[in-house]
Coordinates of all heavy atoms in Angstrom, one line a residue:
M1 N 12.8 2.8 7.1 CA 13.0 1.8 6.0 C 12.1 2.1 4.9 O 10.7 2.2 5.2 CB 12.8 0.4 6.6 CG 13.8 0.1 7.7 SD 13.4 -1.6 8.3 CE 14.1 -2.5 7.1
L2 N 12.5 2.1 3.7 CA 11.6 2.1 2.5 C 11.3 0.9 1.9 O 12.1 0.0 1.7 CB 12.3 3.2 1.6 CG 12.5 4.6 1.9 CD1 13.2 5.4 0.9 CD2 11.2 5.3 2.2
F3 N 10.0 0.8 1.5 CA 9.6 -0.4 0.9 C 8.7 -0.1 -0.3 O 7.8 0.8 -0.2 CB 8.7 -1.3 1.9 CG 9.4 -1.9 3.0 CD1 9.6 -1.3 4.2 CD2 10.1 -3.1 2.8 CE1 10.3 -1.8 5.2 CE2 10.8 -3.7 3.8 CZ 10.9 -3.0 5.1
Q4 N 8.8 -0.8 -1.4 CA 8.0 -0.7 -2.5 C 7.0 -1.8 -2.4 O 7.5 -2.9 -2.1 CB 8.7 -0.6 -3.9 CG 7.7 -0.8 -5.1 CD 8.4 -1.2 -6.4 OE1 9.6 -1.1 -6.5 NE2 7.6 -1.9 -7.2
V5 N 5.9 -1.6 -2.4 CA 4.7 -2.5 -2.3 C 3.8 -2.5 -3.5 O 3.2 -1.5 -3.8 CB 3.9 -2.4 -1.0 CG1 2.9 -3.5 -0.8 CG2 4.9 -2.4 0.2
R6 N 3.6 -3.6 -4.1 CA 2.6 -3.8 -5.1 C 1.4 -4.5 -4.6 O 1.6 -5.7 -4.1 CB 3.2 -4.6 -6.4 CG 2.1 -4.7 -7.4 CD 2.5 -5.4 -8.6 NE 1.3 -5.7 -9.5 CZ 1.4 -5.5 -10.8 NH1 2.5 -5.1 -11.4 NH2 0.3 -5.7 -11.5
M7 N 0.1 -4.0 -4.9 CA -1.0 -4.6 -4.3 C -1.9 -4.9 -5.5 O -2.4 -3.9 -6.1 CB -1.7 -3.7 -3.3 CG -0.9 -3.5 -2.0 SD -1.7 -2.3 -0.9 CE -0.4 -1.2 -0.6
D8 N -2.2 -6.1 -5.7 CA -3.3 -6.5 -6.6 C -4.5 -6.9 -6.0 O -4.4 -8.0 -5.2 CB -2.7 -7.5 -7.6 CG -1.4 -7.1 -8.3 OD1 -1.5 -6.1 -8.9 OD2 -0.4 -7.9 -8.2
V9 N -5.6 -6.4 -6.3 CA -7.0 -6.5 -5.5 C -7.8 -7.5 -6.4 O -7.9 -7.3 -7.5 CB -7.6 -5.3 -5.3 CG1 -8.9 -5.6 -4.4 CG2 -6.8 -4.3 -4.5
H10 N -8.3 -8.5 -5.7 CA -9.2 -9.5 -6.4 C -10.3 -9.7 -5.6 O -10.5 -10.7 -4.8 CB -8.4 -10.9 -6.7 CG -7.2 -10.7 -7.3 ND1 -7.2 -10.5 -8.7 CD2 -5.9 -10.7 -7.0 CE1 -5.9 -10.4 -9.2 NE2 -5.1 -10.5 -8.1
I11 N -11.4 -8.9 -5.6 CA -12.6 -9.1 -4.8 C -13.5 -10.1 -5.5 O -13.7 -10.1 -6.8 CB -13.4 -7.6 -4.8 CG1 -12.4 -6.6 -4.0 CG2 -14.8 -7.9 -4.2 CD1 -13.0 -5.1 -4.0
P12 N -14.0 -10.9 -4.7 CA -14.9 -12.1 -5.2 C -16.1 -11.4 -5.9 O -16.7 -10.5 -5.6 CB -15.3 -12.8 -4.0 CG -14.3 -12.5 -3.0 CD -14.0 -11.1 -3.2
L13 N -16.2 -11.9 -7.2 CA -17.4 -11.5 -8.1 C -18.8 -11.6 -7.3 O -19.7 -10.7 -7.6 CB -17.5 -12.1 -9.3 CG -16.2 -11.9 -10.2 CD1 -16.2 -12.7 -11.5 CD2 -16.0 -10.5 -10.6
D14 N -19.0 -12.5 -6.4 CA -20.2 -12.7 -5.8 C -20.5 -12.0 -4.5 O -21.4 -12.1 -3.8 CB -20.4 -14.2 -5.6 CG -19.4 -14.8 -4.6 OD1 -18.4 -14.2 -4.4 OD2 -19.6 -15.9 -4.3
M15 N -19.4 -11.1 -4.1 CA -19.6 -10.3 -2.9 C -20.6 -9.2 -3.2 O -20.6 -8.6 -4.3 CB -18.2 -9.7 -2.5 CG -18.2 -8.9 -1.4 SD -16.6 -8.2 -0.8 CE -15.8 -9.6 -0.1
P16 N -21.5 -9.0 -2.3 CA -22.6 -7.9 -2.6 C -21.9 -6.6 -2.7 O -21.0 -6.2 -1.8 CB -23.3 -8.0 -1.2 CG -23.1 -9.4 -0.6 CD -21.7 -9.8 -1.1
V17 N -22.4 -5.8 -3.6 CA -21.9 -4.5 -3.8 C -21.9 -3.6 -2.6 O -20.9 -2.8 -2.5 CB -22.8 -3.9 -5.0 CG1 -22.3 -2.5 -5.3 CG2 -22.7 -4.6 -6.3
E18 N -22.9 -3.7 -1.8 CA -22.9 -2.9 -0.6 C -21.6 -3.2 0.3 O -21.1 -2.3 0.9 CB -24.3 -3.1 0.2 CG -25.4 -2.7 -0.5 CD -26.1 -3.8 -1.6 OE1 -25.5 -5.0 -1.3 OE2 -26.7 -3.4 -2.4
Q19 N -21.3 -4.4 0.5 CA -20.3 -4.9 1.2 C -18.9 -4.4 0.7 O -18.1 -3.8 1.3 CB -20.3 -6.3 1.4 CG -19.2 -6.9 2.4 CD -19.1 -8.5 2.4 OE1 -20.1 -9.1 1.8 NE2 -18.2 -8.9 3.1
V20 N -18.9 -4.5 -0.6 CA -17.6 -4.0 -1.3 C -17.4 -2.4 -1.1 O -16.3 -2.0 -0.8 CB -17.7 -4.2 -2.9 CG1 -16.5 -3.6 -3.6 CG2 -17.8 -5.8 -3.2
N21 N -18.5 -1.7 -1.3 CA -18.5 -0.3 -1.2 C -18.2 0.0 0.3 O -17.3 1.0 0.5 CB -19.8 0.4 -1.6 CG -20.0 0.3 -3.1 OD1 -19.0 0.2 -3.8 ND2 -21.2 0.3 -3.5
E22 N -18.6 -0.6 1.4 CA -18.4 -0.4 2.7 C -16.9 -0.6 3.0 O -16.2 0.2 3.6 CB -19.1 -1.4 3.5 CG -19.7 -0.9 4.8 CD -20.6 -1.9 5.5 OE1 -21.8 -1.9 5.2 OE2 -20.2 -2.6 6.4
I23 N -16.3 -1.7 2.4 CA -14.9 -2.0 2.6 C -14.0 -1.0 2.1 O -13.1 -0.5 2.6 CB -14.5 -3.4 2.1 CG1 -15.1 -4.4 2.9 CG2 -13.0 -3.5 2.0 CD1 -15.1 -5.9 2.2
K24 N -14.4 -0.5 0.8 CA -13.7 0.6 0.2 C -13.6 1.9 0.9 O -12.5 2.6 0.9 CB -14.2 0.8 -1.3 CG -13.9 -0.3 -2.2 CD -14.4 -0.1 -3.6 CE -14.2 -1.1 -4.6 NZ -14.7 -0.9 -6.0
V25 N -14.6 2.2 1.6 CA -14.8 3.5 2.3 C -13.8 3.4 3.6 O -13.1 4.4 3.7 CB -16.2 3.8 2.8 CG1 -16.2 4.8 3.9 CG2 -17.2 4.2 1.6
V26 N -13.8 2.3 4.1 CA -12.9 2.0 5.3 C -11.5 2.0 4.9 O -10.6 2.6 5.5 CB -13.3 0.8 6.1 CG1 -12.3 0.5 7.3 CG2 -14.7 0.9 6.7
E27 N -11.2 1.3 3.8 CA -9.9 1.2 3.1 C -9.3 2.6 2.9 O -8.1 2.9 3.1 CB -9.9 0.4 1.9 CG -8.7 0.3 1.2 CD -7.8 -1.0 1.6 OE1 -8.4 -1.9 2.3 OE2 -6.7 -1.1 1.1
K28 N -10.1 3.4 2.3 CA -9.6 4.8 1.8 C -9.4 5.6 3.1 O -8.2 6.3 3.2 CB -10.7 5.6 1.1 CG -10.4 6.8 0.6 CD -11.4 7.4 -0.3 CE -11.0 8.8 -0.9 NZ -11.9 9.4 -1.8
A29 N -10.1 5.6 4.2 CA -9.9 6.3 5.3 C -8.5 5.8 6.1 O -7.8 6.6 6.5 CB -10.9 6.3 6.3
Y30 N -8.4 4.5 6.1 CA -7.2 3.9 6.8 C -5.9 4.3 5.9 O -5.0 4.8 6.5 CB -7.3 2.3 6.6 CG -6.2 1.6 7.2 CD1 -6.0 1.5 8.6 CD2 -5.4 0.8 6.4 CE1 -4.9 0.8 9.1 CE2 -4.3 0.1 6.9 CZ -4.1 0.0 8.4 OH -3.2 -0.8 8.9
S31 N -6.1 4.2 4.5 CA -4.8 4.6 3.7 C -4.4 6.0 3.9 O -3.3 6.4 3.9 CB -4.9 4.1 2.2 OG -5.9 4.9 1.6
Q32 N -5.5 6.9 3.8 CA -5.2 8.3 3.9 C -4.8 8.7 5.3 O -3.9 9.6 5.4 CB -6.5 9.0 3.5 CG -6.8 9.0 2.1 CD -8.1 9.8 1.7 OE1 -8.9 10.2 2.5 NE2 -8.3 10.0 0.4
D33 N -5.1 8.0 6.4 CA -4.6 8.3 7.6 C -3.0 7.9 7.7 O -2.2 8.7 8.3 CB -5.3 7.5 8.7 CG -4.7 7.9 10.1 OD1 -4.6 9.1 10.5 OD2 -4.4 6.9 10.9
L34 N -2.7 6.8 7.1 CA -1.4 6.3 7.0 C -0.5 7.4 6.2 O 0.7 7.7 6.5 CB -1.1 5.0 6.4 CG -1.6 3.9 7.5 CD1 -1.8 2.6 6.7 CD2 -0.7 3.7 8.6
Q35 N -1.2 7.9 5.1 CA -0.5 8.9 4.3 C -0.3 10.2 5.1 O 0.9 10.7 5.0 CB -1.3 9.2 3.0 CG -1.3 8.1 2.1 CD -2.2 8.3 0.9 OE1 -2.0 9.3 0.1 NE2 -3.4 7.6 0.9
R36 N -1.1 10.6 5.8 CA -0.9 11.9 6.8 C 0.1 11.6 7.7 O 0.8 12.4 8.1 CB -2.3 12.2 7.4 CG -3.3 12.9 6.4 CD -4.5 13.3 7.2 NE -5.6 13.5 6.3 CZ -6.5 12.6 5.9 NH1 -6.5 11.3 6.4 NH2 -7.5 12.8 4.9
Q37 N 0.2 10.4 8.4 CA 1.3 10.1 9.2 C 2.8 10.0 8.6 O 3.7 9.9 9.2 CB 1.1 8.8 9.8 CG -0.2 8.7 10.8 CD -0.4 7.2 11.3 OE1 0.6 6.7 11.8 NE2 -1.7 6.8 11.4
G38 N 2.8 10.0 7.2 CA 4.1 9.9 6.5 C 4.4 8.4 6.3 O 5.6 8.2 5.8
K39 N 3.7 7.5 6.7 CA 4.1 6.0 6.7 C 3.8 5.6 5.2 O 4.5 4.7 4.7 CB 3.4 5.2 7.6 CG 3.9 5.5 9.0 CD 3.2 4.7 10.1 CE 3.5 5.1 11.5 NZ 5.0 4.8 11.8
W40 N 2.8 6.0 4.6 CA 2.5 5.6 3.3 C 2.8 6.8 2.4 O 2.0 7.6 2.2 CB 1.0 5.4 3.2 CG 0.6 4.5 1.9 CD1 1.0 4.7 0.6 CD2 -0.5 3.6 1.9 NE1 0.4 3.9 -0.3 CE2 -0.6 3.1 0.6 CE3 -1.4 3.1 2.9 CZ2 -1.5 2.1 0.1 CZ3 -2.4 2.1 2.5 CH2 -2.4 1.7 1.1
R41 N 4.2 6.8 1.8 CA 4.6 8.0 1.2 C 4.1 8.3 -0.1 O 3.8 9.4 -0.5 CB 6.0 7.8 1.0 CG 6.9 7.7 2.5 CD 7.1 9.0 3.0 NE 8.0 9.9 2.3 CZ 9.3 9.8 2.2 NH1 10.0 9.0 2.9 NH2 10.1 10.6 1.5
H42 N 3.8 7.3 -1.0 CA 3.2 7.5 -2.3 C 2.5 6.3 -2.7 O 2.6 5.2 -2.2 CB 4.4 7.5 -3.3 CG 5.4 8.6 -3.1 ND1 5.2 9.9 -3.5 CD2 6.7 8.6 -2.5 CE1 6.2 10.6 -3.2 NE2 7.2 9.8 -2.5
I43 N 1.3 6.6 -3.4 CA 0.5 5.5 -4.1 C 0.2 5.9 -5.4 O -0.2 7.0 -5.8 CB -0.8 5.3 -3.2 CG1 -1.6 4.3 -3.8 CG2 -1.5 6.7 -3.0 CD1 -2.7 3.7 -2.9
W44 N 0.5 5.0 -6.4 CA 0.1 5.1 -7.8 C -0.7 4.0 -8.2 O -0.5 2.8 -8.0 CB 1.4 5.1 -8.6 CG 2.2 6.2 -8.4 CD1 2.2 7.7 -8.8 CD2 3.5 6.4 -7.6 NE1 3.2 8.4 -8.4 CE2 4.0 7.6 -7.6 CE3 4.1 5.3 -6.7 CZ2 5.1 8.0 -6.8 CZ3 5.2 5.7 -5.9 CH2 5.7 7.0 -6.1
R45 N -1.8 4.3 -9.1 CA -2.7 3.3 -9.7 C -1.9 2.7 -10.9 O -1.1 3.5 -11.6 CB -3.9 4.0 -10.1 CG -4.9 3.0 -10.8 CD -6.2 3.6 -11.2 NE -6.9 3.9 -9.9 CZ -7.9 4.8 -9.8 NH1 -8.3 5.3 -10.9 NH2 -8.5 4.8 -8.6
I46 N -2.0 1.5 -11.1 CA -1.5 0.8 -12.4 C -2.6 0.9 -13.3 O -3.7 0.3 -13.2 CB -0.9 -0.7 -12.1 CG1 0.2 -0.5 -11.1 CG2 -0.5 -1.2 -13.3 CD1 0.6 -1.9 -10.5
T47 N -2.4 1.5 -14.5 CA -3.4 1.8 -15.4 C -3.9 0.5 -16.0 O -3.3 -0.5 -16.3 CB -2.8 2.6 -16.7 OG1 -2.3 3.8 -16.2 CG2 -3.8 2.8 -17.8
G48 N -5.3 0.3 -15.9 CA -6.0 -0.9 -16.5 C -6.1 -2.0 -15.6 O -6.6 -3.0 -16.0
Q49 N -5.6 -1.9 -14.3 CA -5.7 -2.9 -13.4 C -6.2 -2.4 -12.0 O -6.2 -1.3 -11.7 CB -4.3 -3.5 -13.2 CG -3.6 -4.0 -14.4 CD -2.1 -4.5 -14.1 OE1 -1.9 -5.1 -13.1 NE2 -1.3 -4.3 -15.1
Y50 N -6.8 -3.4 -11.2 CA -7.1 -3.0 -9.8 C -5.9 -3.3 -9.1 O -5.9 -4.2 -8.2 CB -8.4 -3.8 -9.4 CG -9.0 -3.2 -8.2 CD1 -10.3 -3.8 -7.7 CD2 -8.5 -2.2 -7.4 CE1 -10.9 -3.3 -6.6 CE2 -9.1 -1.7 -6.3 CZ -10.4 -2.3 -6.0 OH -11.0 -1.8 -4.8
S51 N -5.0 -2.4 -9.2 CA -3.7 -2.6 -8.5 C -3.0 -1.3 -8.3 O -3.3 -0.3 -8.9 CB -2.7 -3.4 -9.5 OG -3.2 -4.6 -9.9
N52 N -2.0 -1.3 -7.4 CA -1.3 0.0 -7.1 C 0.2 -0.3 -6.7 O 0.4 -1.5 -6.3 CB -2.0 0.9 -6.1 CG -1.7 0.3 -4.6 OD1 -0.7 0.2 -4.0 ND2 -2.9 -0.3 -4.1
I53 N 0.9 0.6 -7.0 CA 2.4 0.6 -6.4 C 2.5 1.6 -5.4 O 2.1 2.7 -5.6 CB 3.4 0.8 -7.6 CG1 3.3 -0.2 -8.7 CG2 4.9 1.0 -7.0 CD1 3.9 -1.5 -8.3
S54 N 3.0 1.3 -4.3 CA 3.1 2.3 -3.1 C 4.5 2.2 -2.5 O 5.3 1.2 -2.6 CB 2.1 1.9 -2.1 OG 0.7 2.0 -2.6
I55 N 4.8 3.3 -2.0 CA 6.1 3.5 -1.1 C 5.8 3.7 0.3 O 5.0 4.7 0.6 CB 7.0 4.6 -1.7 CG1 7.2 4.4 -3.2 CG2 8.3 4.7 -0.9 CD1 8.1 3.3 -3.5
F56 N 6.2 2.8 1.2 CA 6.1 2.9 2.6 C 7.4 3.3 3.2 O 8.5 2.9 2.9 CB 5.6 1.6 3.1 CG 4.1 1.3 2.9 CD1 3.8 0.7 1.7 CD2 3.0 1.6 3.7 CE1 2.5 0.4 1.3 CE2 1.8 1.4 3.4 CZ 1.4 0.8 2.2
D57 N 7.3 4.2 4.3 CA 8.4 4.6 5.0 C 8.1 4.1 6.5 O 7.3 4.9 7.3 CB 8.7 6.0 4.8 CG 10.0 6.5 5.5 OD1 10.6 5.7 6.2 OD2 10.2 7.7 5.4
V58 N 8.6 3.1 7.0 CA 8.2 2.5 8.3 C 9.5 2.1 9.0 O 10.6 2.1 8.5 CB 7.4 1.3 8.2 CG1 6.0 1.7 7.5 CG2 8.0 0.2 7.2
E59 N 9.3 1.8 10.3 CA 10.5 1.6 11.2 C 11.0 0.2 11.1 O 12.1 -0.2 11.2 CB 10.1 1.8 12.7 CG 9.7 3.3 12.9 CD 11.0 4.1 12.9 OE1 12.1 3.7 13.2 OE2 10.8 5.2 12.2
S60 N 10.2 -0.8 10.7 CA 10.7 -2.2 10.6 C 9.8 -3.1 9.6 O 8.7 -2.7 9.3 CB 10.5 -2.8 12.0 OG 9.1 -3.0 12.3
N61 N 10.3 -4.2 9.4 CA 9.5 -5.2 8.5 C 8.3 -5.5 9.2 O 7.1 -5.7 8.6 CB 10.2 -6.5 8.4 CG 11.5 -6.3 7.6 OD1 11.6 -5.5 6.7 ND2 12.5 -7.2 7.9
E62 N 8.3 -5.7 10.5 CA 7.0 -6.0 11.4 C 5.9 -4.9 11.3 O 4.9 -5.1 11.1 CB 7.4 -6.2 12.9 CG 6.2 -6.7 13.6 CD 6.6 -6.9 15.1 OE1 7.8 -6.8 15.6 OE2 5.7 -7.4 15.7
E63 N 6.4 -3.5 11.3 CA 5.4 -2.5 11.1 C 4.8 -2.5 9.8 O 3.6 -2.3 9.7 CB 6.1 -1.1 11.5 CG 5.1 0.0 11.3 CD 5.8 1.4 11.5 OE1 6.9 1.5 11.4 OE2 5.0 2.3 11.8
L64 N 5.5 -2.7 8.8 CA 5.0 -2.8 7.5 C 4.0 -4.0 7.4 O 2.8 -3.9 6.9 CB 6.0 -2.9 6.4 CG 5.4 -3.2 4.9 CD1 4.7 -2.0 4.5 CD2 6.5 -3.4 3.9
H65 N 4.4 -5.1 7.9 CA 3.4 -6.3 8.0 C 2.0 -6.0 8.7 O 1.0 -6.3 8.1 CB 4.2 -7.5 8.7 CG 3.5 -8.7 8.7 ND1 3.3 -9.5 7.6 CD2 2.7 -9.3 9.7 CE1 2.5 -10.6 8.0 NE2 2.1 -10.4 9.2
N66 N 2.2 -5.3 9.8 CA 1.0 -5.1 10.6 C 0.1 -4.0 9.8 O -1.1 -4.1 9.8 CB 1.4 -4.4 11.9 CG 2.0 -5.6 12.8 OD1 1.8 -6.7 12.6 ND2 2.7 -5.1 13.8
I67 N 0.8 -3.1 9.1 CA -0.1 -2.1 8.3 C -0.8 -2.9 7.2 O -1.9 -2.6 7.0 CB 0.9 -0.9 7.9 CG1 1.4 0.0 9.0 CG2 0.3 -0.3 6.6 CD1 2.4 1.0 8.5
L68 N -0.1 -3.6 6.5 CA -0.5 -4.3 5.4 C -1.7 -5.3 5.9 O -2.8 -5.4 5.2 CB 0.4 -5.1 4.5 CG 1.4 -4.3 3.9 CD1 2.5 -5.2 3.2 CD2 0.9 -3.3 2.9
Q69 N -1.6 -6.0 7.0 CA -2.6 -6.8 7.5 C -3.8 -6.1 8.0 O -4.9 -6.7 8.0 CB -2.1 -7.7 8.6 CG -1.3 -8.9 8.1 CD -1.1 -9.9 9.1 OE1 -1.0 -9.6 10.3 NE2 -1.4 -11.2 8.7
G70 N -3.6 -4.8 8.4 CA -4.7 -4.0 8.7 C -5.6 -3.4 7.6 O -6.7 -2.9 7.9
L71 N -5.1 -3.6 6.4 CA -5.9 -3.0 5.3 C -7.1 -3.9 5.1 O -7.2 -5.2 5.0 CB -5.2 -3.2 3.9 CG -4.0 -2.3 3.8 CD1 -3.1 -2.8 2.6 CD2 -4.4 -0.9 3.5
P72 N -8.4 -3.2 5.1 CA -9.6 -3.9 5.0 C -9.6 -4.9 3.7 O -10.4 -5.9 3.8 CB -10.7 -2.8 4.8 CG -10.0 -1.7 5.6 CD -8.6 -1.8 5.3
L73 N -8.9 -4.5 2.7 CA -9.0 -5.2 1.4 C -7.9 -6.4 1.5 O -7.8 -7.1 0.6 CB -8.8 -4.4 0.2 CG -10.0 -3.6 -0.3 CD1 -9.7 -2.5 -1.4 CD2 -11.2 -4.5 -0.7
Y74 N -7.1 -6.5 2.5 CA -6.0 -7.5 2.6 C -6.4 -8.8 2.3 O -5.6 -9.5 1.6 CB -5.4 -7.4 4.1 CG -4.3 -8.3 4.2 CD1 -3.0 -8.0 3.9 CD2 -4.6 -9.5 4.9 CE1 -2.0 -9.0 4.0 CE2 -3.5 -10.5 5.1 CZ -2.3 -10.2 4.6 OH -1.2 -11.0 4.9
P75 N -7.6 -9.3 2.7 CA -8.0 -10.7 2.4 C -8.2 -10.9 0.9 O -8.1 -12.2 0.4 CB -9.3 -10.9 3.2 CG -9.2 -9.8 4.2 CD -8.6 -8.8 3.7
Y76 N -8.3 -9.9 0.1 CA -8.6 -10.0 -1.3 C -7.3 -9.5 -2.1 O -7.5 -9.1 -3.3 CB -9.8 -9.2 -1.6 CG -10.9 -9.4 -0.7 CD1 -11.2 -8.5 0.2 CD2 -11.5 -10.7 -0.7 CE1 -12.3 -8.8 1.1 CE2 -12.6 -10.9 0.2 CZ -12.9 -10.0 1.1 OH -13.9 -10.3 2.1
M77 N -6.1 -9.4 -1.5 CA -4.9 -8.9 -2.2 C -3.9 -10.0 -2.4 O -3.7 -10.8 -1.5 CB -4.4 -7.8 -1.3 CG -5.2 -6.4 -1.3 SD -4.2 -5.2 -0.4 CE -5.4 -3.8 -0.6
N78 N -3.2 -9.7 -3.5 CA -1.9 -10.4 -3.6 C -0.9 -9.2 -3.5 O -0.9 -8.1 -4.1 CB -1.7 -11.1 -5.0 CG -2.6 -12.2 -5.2 OD1 -2.8 -12.9 -4.3 ND2 -3.0 -12.5 -6.4
I79 N 0.1 -9.4 -2.6 CA 0.9 -8.3 -2.2 C 2.5 -8.7 -2.5 O 2.9 -9.9 -2.1 CB 0.8 -7.9 -0.8 CG1 -0.6 -7.3 -0.6 CG2 1.9 -6.9 -0.4 CD1 -0.9 -7.1 1.0
K80 N 3.2 -8.0 -3.2 CA 4.6 -8.1 -3.3 C 5.4 -7.0 -2.8 O 5.1 -5.8 -3.0 CB 5.0 -8.3 -4.7 CG 4.3 -9.4 -5.5 CD 4.7 -9.4 -7.0 CE 4.0 -10.7 -7.6 NZ 4.1 -10.6 -9.0
V81 N 6.4 -7.3 -1.8 CA 7.1 -6.2 -1.1 C 8.5 -6.4 -1.5 O 9.2 -7.4 -1.6 CB 6.9 -6.5 0.5 CG1 7.9 -5.5 1.2 CG2 5.6 -6.4 0.9
M82 N 9.2 -5.1 -1.7 CA 10.6 -5.0 -2.1 C 11.2 -3.9 -1.2 O 10.8 -2.8 -1.3 CB 10.7 -4.7 -3.6 CG 12.1 -4.6 -4.0 SD 12.5 -4.2 -5.9 CE 11.0 -4.6 -6.6
A83 N 12.2 -4.3 -0.4 CA 12.9 -3.5 0.5 C 13.8 -2.6 -0.4 O 14.4 -3.1 -1.5 CB 13.9 -4.2 1.5
M84 N 13.9 -1.3 -0.1 CA 14.7 -0.4 -1.0 C 15.8 0.3 0.0 O 15.6 0.5 1.1 CB 13.7 0.7 -1.4 CG 12.6 0.1 -2.3 SD 11.4 1.2 -2.9 CE 12.3 2.7 -3.4
N85 N 17.0 0.5 -0.7 CA 18.2 1.1 -0.1 C 18.6 2.2 -1.0 O 18.5 2.1 -2.2 CB 19.2 0.1 0.2 CG 18.8 -1.0 1.1 OD1 18.7 -0.7 2.4 ND2 18.7 -2.1 0.6
R86 N 19.1 3.2 -0.4 CA 19.7 4.3 -1.2 C 20.8 3.8 -2.2 O 21.6 3.1 -1.7 CB 20.2 5.4 -0.3 CG 20.8 6.5 -1.1 CD 20.7 7.9 -0.3 NE 19.4 8.2 0.3 CZ 18.4 8.5 -0.2 NH1 18.2 8.7 -1.6 NH2 17.2 8.7 0.5
H87 N 20.8 4.3 -3.3 CA 21.8 3.8 -4.3 C 23.1 4.9 -4.0 O 22.9 6.0 -4.0 CB 21.2 4.0 -5.7 CG 22.2 3.3 -6.6 ND1 23.3 3.8 -7.2 CD2 22.0 2.0 -7.3 CE1 23.9 2.8 -8.0 NE2 23.0 1.8 -8.1
P88 N 24.3 4.3 -4.1 CA 25.5 5.0 -3.9 C 25.7 6.2 -5.0 O 26.4 7.1 -4.8 CB 26.6 4.1 -3.8 CG 26.0 2.8 -4.4 CD 24.6 2.8 -4.3
S89 N 25.1 6.0 -6.1 CA 25.2 6.9 -7.3 C 24.2 7.9 -7.2 O 24.2 8.8 -8.1 CB 25.2 6.2 -8.5 OG 26.3 5.3 -8.7
S90 N 23.3 7.9 -6.3 CA 22.1 9.0 -6.3 C 22.8 10.3 -5.9 O 23.8 10.6 -5.2 CB 21.2 8.5 -5.2 OG 20.2 9.7 -5.1
I91 N 22.3 11.3 -6.6 CA 22.8 12.6 -6.4 C 21.9 13.4 -5.3 O 22.3 14.5 -4.9 CB 22.7 13.6 -7.7 CG1 21.2 13.7 -8.2 CG2 23.7 12.9 -8.8 CD1 21.1 14.7 -9.3
R92 N 21.0 12.7 -4.8 CA 20.2 13.3 -3.7 C 20.5 12.7 -2.4 O 20.8 11.5 -2.2 CB 18.7 13.2 -4.0 CG 18.3 14.0 -5.3 CD 16.8 13.8 -5.6 NE 16.3 14.6 -6.5 CZ 16.7 14.9 -7.8 NH1 17.7 14.2 -8.2 NH2 16.1 15.5 -8.7
E93 N 20.4 13.5 -1.5 CA 20.7 13.0 0.0 C 19.4 12.7 0.6 O 19.5 12.1 1.7 CB 21.3 14.2 0.8 CG 22.7 14.6 0.4 CD 23.7 13.4 0.6 OE1 23.6 12.7 1.5 OE2 24.5 13.3 -0.4
D94 N 18.2 12.9 0.1 CA 16.9 12.5 0.7 C 16.0 11.9 -0.4 O 16.6 11.4 -1.5 CB 16.2 13.9 1.1 CG 15.9 14.9 0.0 OD1 16.1 14.5 -1.1 OD2 15.6 15.9 0.4
D95 N 14.9 11.8 -0.1 CA 13.9 11.0 -1.0 C 13.2 11.8 -2.0 O 12.3 11.3 -2.5 CB 13.0 10.1 -0.2 CG 13.7 9.1 0.7 OD1 14.8 8.5 0.1 OD2 13.4 8.9 1.8
S96 N 13.6 13.1 -2.3 CA 12.9 13.9 -3.2 C 13.1 13.6 -4.6 O 14.1 12.8 -4.9 CB 13.3 15.5 -2.8 OG 14.6 15.6 -3.3

C-alpha cells in the first residue's frame, strides 16, 4: 500500500539544543533504516519549511501508523496521510 505523508515539525523553542540534536540523530538513523528496507520509498524536503513529503510502501494502515509513531520527532509533528492508488490512465505498470 502506498501512502503520501506530509510531516510538519514543530520543535519547542525552549527545548535544549543538545536534546534536539540527540533526537535528530536517532530520527535520521530510524528513517534511513526504513528507507533501506524499502518501506520509506521517497523523502523530499519542502523548501523554506521544517517539513517533508514522503512516500511509504507498507502492508497496512496499522504498519504505517506504527512506523510514524516510532519517529523520535513524532511528538512534535503534525502529520497528514493520503492513501494512494494506481491511476487507470498511468502508462507504467510499476512505481518508476
Side-chain angles (χ1 to χ4, degrees):
M1 300 177 72
L2 293 176
F3 293 90
Q4 175 193 336
V5 179
R6 178 180 172 136
M7 297 176 230
D8 299 306
V9 182
H10 304 282
I11 295 174
L13 297 176
D14 61 347
M15 183 180 283
V17 173
E18 300 82 21
Q19 184 179 356
V20 172
N21 291 337
E22 216 174 275
I23 292 170
K24 287 180 181 181
V25 167
V26 176
E27 177 94 6
K28 183 175 182 177
Y30 180 74
S31 70
Q32 288 181 342
D33 182 52
L34 289 165
Q35 289 174 65
R36 286 184 196 94
Q37 292 176 45
K39 294 182 182 296
W40 198 323
R41 297 277 298 274
H42 301 280
I43 182 170
W44 295 277
R45 178 177 289 163
I46 299 173
T47 303
Q49 300 178 38
Y50 194 173
S51 304
N52 73 73
I53 298 286
S54 295
I55 303 295
F56 287 84
D57 188 356
V58 294
E59 295 297 318
S60 66
N61 295 334
E62 183 177 6
E63 182 181 18
L64 178 62
H65 182 76
N66 291 336
I67 286 171
L68 295 176
Q69 281 197 317
L71 291 165
L73 286 170
Y74 178 81
Y76 313 106
M77 290 182 174
N78 290 332
I79 298 175
K80 295 179 184 169
V81 176
M82 185 181 333
M84 298 169 50
N85 296 291
R86 179 148 323 279
H87 195 283
S89 297
S90 176
I91 63 169
R92 292 182 170 52
E93 294 296 321
D94 59 13
D95 296 319
S96 64

